Amino acid sequence: MDWKSLTFSYTKTNTMLCTYFRNGAWTPVESRTDDTIALSAFAGALHYSIECFEGLKAFRGKDGKVRLFRPEENAMRLRRSAEFLGIEAPSVEMFVEMCKQVVKENLDFLPPYESRASLYLRPTLIGFNPQLGVASSSETMFMVLCSPVGAYTGGNLEPINCVIARNYDRAAPNGTGSHKVGGNYACSLRSLNIAHSQGYKAVLYLDPSTKKMIDEFNSSNFFAIKGNSYITPLSDTILPSITNKSLEDAASYLGMTVERRQIPVEELSTFEEVGECGTAVVITPVSHLDDKPTLESEEVTRYTYVEEGCGPKSQRLYDFITNIQYGEIEDPFGWTVEVEL
Ligand code: PLP
Ligand code: COI
């Protein structure tokens, strides 16, 4: 494989794992080389979006060890999403074991340390039984899929341009915004497609209730740097990002002040650095952020953060997190879980 040219796209690997919850228990985990699945055309996942998923990465370290980054957090978030959907989810232990197993079965696809790429794991839980009425599915299928990946957009730490979608929402007040359900991504597609057609790489949403505060990007959380502060939105319509939570801890550890609070749009002009954070995007700096009355409008207010490269504080946080992930420095928080080979 040409590891250096990997992007965030799907590559077929050796195996995927799956198990079904039926009659009150999980079936033995199956390892399949075929990445197609058979399910009833009436499965709840297909009609009523009874689906939730996770994203986490496995890294080949400098010392040759293989590490997962905070898999228990993903397991707990999947259980929370499943609870919202009213469906059965695997235990934390089962989730983590399956993640380890899929990595071991797909070591051929785990990028080498030097590539700074990783193996992305996509645990996915779907409503499986045929149904016509709207109800939580009684049977679920849990899969752990994987694919080697590089940077989500461009190259590592390459800045991107973004736009605020004032006239679109990815989440409703009191809805699914803080859960990792597929429907949230469906909701983001219209605005994302318009933004892409205008040359933007990502969309930033405002809080859906008042449209006055910053919420998050279509596939990542928002953070900003002002002076010595790491600032990130407090909102119940955003996904509780495991990367963001880790960056908050990293920022404190590195002597920065952490502010988790509402961020009015007007504050954008006061930030020195702005970035996306998440598993797929890691830290991706924002070069400029455009605010328009509507996404379709020609009128633009532009906030510029970097022309090229990455701001110094974002870079420091990026280095800290990725150095832990690739086993280059001690992990003072015990975030990584080794996959014993
Ligand atoms: N927000 C959204 C909408 C996402 O899709 C993701 C990706 O998982 C994140 C934030 C970042 O979350 P995490 O850091 O747990 O990957
Ligand atoms: C992740 O960062 O793991 C995500 O799930 C984002 C994804 C929608 C690409």
Side-chain angles (χ1 to χ4, degrees):
M1 283 210 59
D2 180 8
W3 304 110
K4 287 273 178 205
S5 61
L6 274 177
T7 57
F8 195 86
S9 56
Y10 174 58
T11 303
K12 166 92 176 64
T13 58
N14 295 334
T15 59
M16 60 169 265
L17 304 180
C18 67
T19 169
Y20 302 86
F21 185 84
R22 58 171 73 105
N23 305 323
W26 291 97
T27 59
V29 174
E30 294 168 44
S31 168
R32 296 192 188 159
T33 53
D34 187 357
D35 63 353
T36 59
I37 59 170
L39 78 172
S40 164
F42 280 91
L46 300 178
H47 299 267
Y48 306 125
S49 295
I50 305 173
E51 188 269 357
C52 52
F53 66 97
E54 277 303 322
L56 69 159
K57 285 173 172 171
F59 303 87
R60 170 77 72 178
K62 192 176 181 189
D63 50 8
K65 290 183 180 168
V66 180
R67 293 173 177 82
L68 291 168
F69 190 68
R70 310 191 77 175
E72 299 94 347
E73 292 288 330
N74 294 91
M76 288 189 282
R77 192 171 62 186
L78 185 81
R79 289 183 61 78
R80 202 176 140 261
S81 300
E83 191 185 355
F84 189 89
L85 295 173
I87 58 174
E88 196 67 33
S91 67
V92 172
E93 295 71 28
M94 178 175 161
F95 179 104
V96 175
E97 274 316 304
M98 285 177 71
C99 287
K100 288 180 177 172
Q101 188 183 334
V102 87
V103 172
K104 284 197 255 190
E105 292 185 7
N106 292 285
L107 285 176
D108 306 339
F109 293 90
L110 179 68
Y113 162 68
E114 296 74 27
S115 65
R116 302 305 270 189
S118 57
L119 185 69
Y120 183 79
L121 309 193
R122 176 49 68 82
T124 304
L125 182 68
I126 63 172
F128 190 72
N129 55 289
Q131 62 182 85
L132 199 50
V134 178
S136 296
S137 310
S138 53
E139 288 182 17
T140 59
M141 178 186 195
F142 178 59
M143 301 171 260
V144 183
L145 320 171
C146 66
S147 177
V149 297
Y152 193 68
T153 42
N156 290 337
L157 285 179
E158 208 171 282
I160 57 162
N161 55 353
C162 304
V163 62
I164 298 179
R166 280 190 178 266
N167 53 326
Y168 293 90
D169 295 309
R170 71 173 276 286
N174 308 311
T176 54
S178 72
H179 296 94
K180 202 160 171 64
V181 297
N184 289 342
Y185 298 85
C187 252
S188 72
L189 285 175
R190 173 84 183 141
S191 46
L192 189 60
N193 288 338
I194 296 171
H196 281 163
S197 73
Q198 297 174 356
Y200 297 105
K201 295 279 198 245
V203 168
L204 180 62
Y205 298 97
L206 302 184
D207 80 281
S209 309
T210 71
K211 309 289 278 189
K212 288 189 164 69
M213 306 293 163
I214 309 258
D215 239 4
E216 69 171 330
F217 294 99
N218 51 285
S219 60
S220 58
N221 272 186
F222 172 101
F223 75 90
I225 305 288
K226 183 159 41 172
N228 196 37
S229 292
Y230 177 90
I231 307 168
T232 195
L234 178 67
S235 163
D236 53 15
T237 44
I238 65 174
L239 192 76
S241 157
I242 296 159
T243 313
N244 199 2
K245 186 166 138 176
S246 310
L247 288 170
E248 288 179 296
D249 290 347
S252 294
Y253 185 84
L254 297 172
M256 296 175 73
T257 304
V258 173
E259 298 178 32
R260 167 80 71 167
R261 59 168 171 83
Q262 293 193 322
I263 304 176
V265 182
E266 298 73 52
E267 207 178 339
L268 284 172
S269 63
T270 68
F271 295 140
E272 288 139 33
E273 299 174 34
V274 160
E276 290 189 280
C277 63
T279 299
V281 304
V282 196
I283 278 183
T284 300
V286 170
S287 53
H288 63 260
L289 181 56
D290 283 352
D291 189 8
K292 303 168 161 204
T294 67
L295 203 46
E296 296 78 6
S297 157
E298 304 269 303
E299 197 186 319
V300 177
T301 304
R302 174 161 294 190
Y303 303 97
T304 300
Y305 300 105
V306 281
E307 296 295 347
E308 56 182 30
C310 178
K313 295 232 164 63
S314 304
Q315 173 85 54
R316 192 152 176 240
L317 290 166
Y318 175 90
D319 289 343
F320 186 78
I321 291 275
T322 56
N323 287 344
I324 289 176
Q325 292 171 335
Y326 288 102
E328 291 164 318
I329 58 170
E330 271 303 300
D331 172 4
F333 299 101
W335 283 334
T336 56
V337 171
E338 191 182 333
V339 180
E340 307 277 352
L341 303 178

